[in-house]
Amino acid sequence: MTRKQKRLAIIGGGVSFIMIAAFLVMFAFGQSIAYFYMPGDLEKTSVAPGTRIRLGGLVAEGSVKRGEGRTVSFAVTDGGASVPVSYTGILPDLFREGQGVVTEGTFDAATHAFVADSVLAKHDENYMPKEVADRLKDKGLWQQDGTAQTGAVKTGATQ
């Protein structure tokens, strides 16, 4: 092998190594991505069964029902659409009706129900996850001072 051929072989091997590493990283990220949806989005989109997604919105007034043990069912709404959620576990201390929430789990399109394995609630009176706040602002259900307009959420009306 000439010097030029050795240099090309080393460069080719390095480029191949970098491409394989990039492919493996992209594959790993693809397995852990959870797409964010609002309840109205789930009506318009089809989600493959078993796909992990995040569902965000407000906990609908009067929807929290405690089942046996640590099972809780509630509805997440964006003011127009509502999705029933079931969760088994301990809810965050700040979880309550009319407050912002992001749940992560799987959506069953056949029954139109969401099975959550984690529930995240806002952590103080001025915070709501950015994705949820932006979507609720677009629909007129979130005021600039950070309070939810629960009357609009109850009736499904927007301003």
Side-chain angles (χ1 to χ4, degrees):
M1 266 183 134
T2 65
R3 188 173 224 182
K4 185 176 181 179
Q5 289 174 331
K6 286 181 186 179
R7 193 176 310 144
L8 286 175
I10 290 172
I11 290 172
V15 169
S16 298
F17 177 77
I18 290 172
M19 289 177 62
I20 290 171
F23 173 75
L24 291 174
V25 167
M26 289 173 51
F27 181 74
F29 280 139
Q31 296 295 321
S32 65
I33 289 176
Y35 294 101
F36 179 81
Y37 293 94
M38 296 288 284
D41 297 338
L42 288 177
E43 291 179 350
K44 300 172 192 166
T45 349
S46 62
V47 178
T51 303
R52 290 189 55 76
I53 63 169
R54 287 185 177 173
L55 174 67
L58 300 173
V59 178
E61 298 286 337
S63 68
V64 178
K65 306 227 181 334
R66 307 237 179 232
E68 290 186 25
R70 298 183 308 173
T71 302
V72 179
S73 64
F74 55 94
V76 174
T77 184
D78 60 3
S82 182
V83 174
V85 177
S86 65
Y87 173 70
T88 301
I90 299 173
L91 289 169
D93 291 338
L94 297 174
F95 177 88
R96 61 184 173 271
E97 295 174 351
Q99 296 296 322
V101 68
V102 175
T103 60
E104 190 168 338
T106 57
F107 179 70
D108 183 5
T111 62
H112 194 69
F114 188 80
V115 178
D117 52 36
S118 70
V119 175
L120 307 171
K122 67 180 205 164
H123 68 272
D124 72 15
E125 74 239 16
N126 296 322
Y127 175 77
M128 178 173 284
K130 181 174 176 13
E131 300 141 331
V132 175
D134 289 345
R135 292 288 190 80
L136 291 173
K137 283 178 189 175
D138 291 343
K139 293 184 178 239
L141 297 173
W142 186 256
Q143 296 174 351
Q144 280 305 102
D145 66 356
T147 59
Q149 298 177 4
T150 53
V153 172
K154 282 188 225 177
T155 62
T158 58
Q159 294 182 351

